[in-house]
Amino acid sequence: MSKYEILNTILSGLAILASVVSLSRSKKTSEKLIELENIHAELSQTQLAKIAEDKANSKKADLRISLQKHDGSYKFYIENLGPAKAENIYFNLRQGDFSNPIIGSEYSEKIPYEILNPGDYFTMHAVIALGGGYPSFPITLRWDNEDQSRSTKDFQVSL
C-alpha cells in the first residue's frame, strides 16, 4: 500500500468515527428533546385543567358562617366570599345535644334567603345561654350557584 492509500484509509476511518460520535450525540439530544416535549405536554394539560377549574369556580359562591357578639346580642353572620352570587340559601342546625338558638319567626322570614351577592352577608339573631360555657353548633349551609349547581357545606360554629 502506498502512502496515499494509507492516508486515505486513516482519513476514512476518522470520518467514520466522527460520524458515529455525531450520530450518538444526535441520538442523546433527540432523546432529551422528546423528554422535554413530554414534560411540556404534561404541564400544558395541568394548566388547561386549572383554567377549566377556575372557570367553573368563577360561577360558584363560597359561603361562610360565624357567630359573633354585636351590640350585646349574638348573631350568625352568613357571608359570600366567592366570585358569584348564591341563591336560595338554607341554614340548618344538624341534630345535636344543644338547645336551638335560632329565633323561629326570624328563620321563617329569612330562610330560604333569596340572593346573596359576592362580598355581602346577612345575619340571624341567636339566643345563647352561656351558663355552661361557650356552645358550639353544627350547621349546614346549602345554596344554588349561578352555574345551576347546588353546594352544601358543613360548619362547626362557636364563639
Side-chain angles (χ1 to χ4, degrees):
M1 265 177 126
S2 71
K3 291 183 193 176
Y4 293 112
E5 290 175 336
I6 294 173
L7 185 60
N8 193 18
T9 304
I10 292 173
L11 287 177
S12 297
L14 288 175
I16 290 172
L17 182 63
S19 295
V20 169
V21 169
S22 176
L23 182 62
S24 174
R25 287 184 180 172
S26 176
K27 182 179 178 191
K28 287 179 184 177
T29 302
S30 181
E31 288 172 351
K32 285 287 186 188
L33 184 59
I34 289 171
E35 182 182 335
L36 289 174
E37 285 176 352
N38 289 336
I39 291 170
H40 184 263
E42 289 176 22
L43 180 59
S44 294
Q45 289 295 328
T46 303
Q47 287 177 326
L48 288 173
K50 177 71 174 143
I51 289 168
E53 180 183 344
D54 289 348
K55 186 176 179 182
N57 286 338
S58 72
K59 301 265 187 199
K60 294 185 187 260
D62 182 16
L63 299 189
R64 305 291 169 96
I65 186 167
S66 61
L67 180 60
Q68 300 176 20
K69 188 173 184 178
H70 184 69
D71 293 333
S73 66
Y74 295 95
K75 293 181 181 179
F76 288 106
Y77 282 80
I78 297 96
E79 58 187 326
N80 183 356
L81 301 177
K85 69 181 177 181
E87 297 178 339
N88 301 318
I89 301 163
Y90 286 89
F91 172 107
N92 294 312
L93 266 80
R94 298 187 307 275
Q95 295 296 322
D97 218 5
F98 55 85
S99 60
N100 189 342
I102 298 172
I103 300 170
S105 60
E106 183 180 23
Y107 183 86
S108 298
E109 286 177 22
K110 290 186 176 180
I111 303 300
Y113 197 83
E114 289 186 28
I115 295 175
L116 188 60
N117 289 313
D120 288 348
Y121 68 92
F122 72 95
T123 62
M124 292 187 58
H125 287 88
V127 179
I128 298 177
L130 294 178
Y134 294 102
S136 180
F137 303 101
I139 296 173
T140 299
L141 293 178
R142 186 183 79 215
W143 66 93
D144 296 330
N145 293 298
E146 283 185 21
D147 66 358
Q148 308 306 315
S149 67
R150 178 168 283 169
S151 293
T152 302
K153 240 185 199 180
D154 294 327
F155 298 90
Q156 193 67 34
V157 181
S158 60
L159 288 171

